[in-house]
Amino acid sequence: MKITLAALIPAVLAAGCMSPDSEHREYVKLFLNDPESAQFRSVEQSRRRALAWCGEVNAKNRMGGLAGFTRYVLVMPDADLKIKVKTEVEEAKMFAEFTTEGQSGFEGKWSIWCR
C-alpha cells in the first residue's frame, strides 16, 4: 500500500497555513520508523538558511522502545519543489536531506547549518 505525503502532512501545508516549525517536524517524521512517537527538543532554525533545521529527536525503534535523543540536520526543499513532490512520501524524502548523528558527513553538516 502506498502512503501519500498528503496522509502525513495536511493540505494546509501547500496553502502556507502550517508554521515553519510544524512543517519541519512533519518532514522529520517521514524518516522515522514510528512517526507518532516522535519527541523533539533543542530545535532551532538555521541562521544560514531558512529551510535548514537542527535539533534532537527521540522516537520508537523497530523493537518498540524509544531509541534515545539523536541530533539531526534537516534541509528541506524550497517552496516550489515542495508543491511538486507533496503527493508521494518517497519523492518528498528524495528532496529533503535528513542526516542524523553517527551517519557519514553528519559532523560537517552540523557545523555548517547548526552553529
Side-chain angles (χ1 to χ4, degrees):
M1 177 168 94
K2 273 191 172 180
I3 300 174
T4 63
L5 186 58
L8 298 174
I9 300 178
V12 294
L13 174 69
C17 297
M18 185 178 265
S19 75
D21 182 52
S22 297
E23 182 179 357
H24 119 269
R25 289 172 192 244
E26 292 301 319
Y27 263 88
V28 169
K29 288 178 182 182
L30 294 175
F31 295 89
L32 303 176
N33 287 322
D34 184 351
E36 297 304 314
S37 68
Q39 302 168 351
F40 293 87
R41 73 178 185 194
S42 304
V43 174
E44 293 183 15
Q45 191 169 20
S46 174
R47 294 182 186 134
R48 299 189 88 172
R49 183 169 180 225
L51 295 174
W53 291 81
C54 308
E56 296 178 64
V57 65
N58 185 16
K60 290 183 181 177
N61 58 26
R62 291 184 180 136
M63 300 292 290
L66 289 171
F69 280 96
T70 303
R71 293 184 301 162
Y72 68 87
V73 176
L74 173 73
V75 180
M76 298 186 330
D78 64 36
D80 293 335
L81 189 55
K82 281 189 285 189
I83 292 169
K84 291 177 187 173
V85 298
K86 73 176 189 164
T87 57
E88 297 290 335
V89 170
E90 290 307 315
E91 289 176 23
K93 288 169 74 171
M94 285 185 341
F95 294 104
E97 183 180 336
F98 182 70
T99 311
T100 58
E101 197 168 11
Q103 288 181 312
S104 176
F106 172 80
E107 292 301 331
K109 290 175 185 174
W110 184 266
S111 68
I112 290 170
W113 298 114
C114 306
R115 294 188 186 200

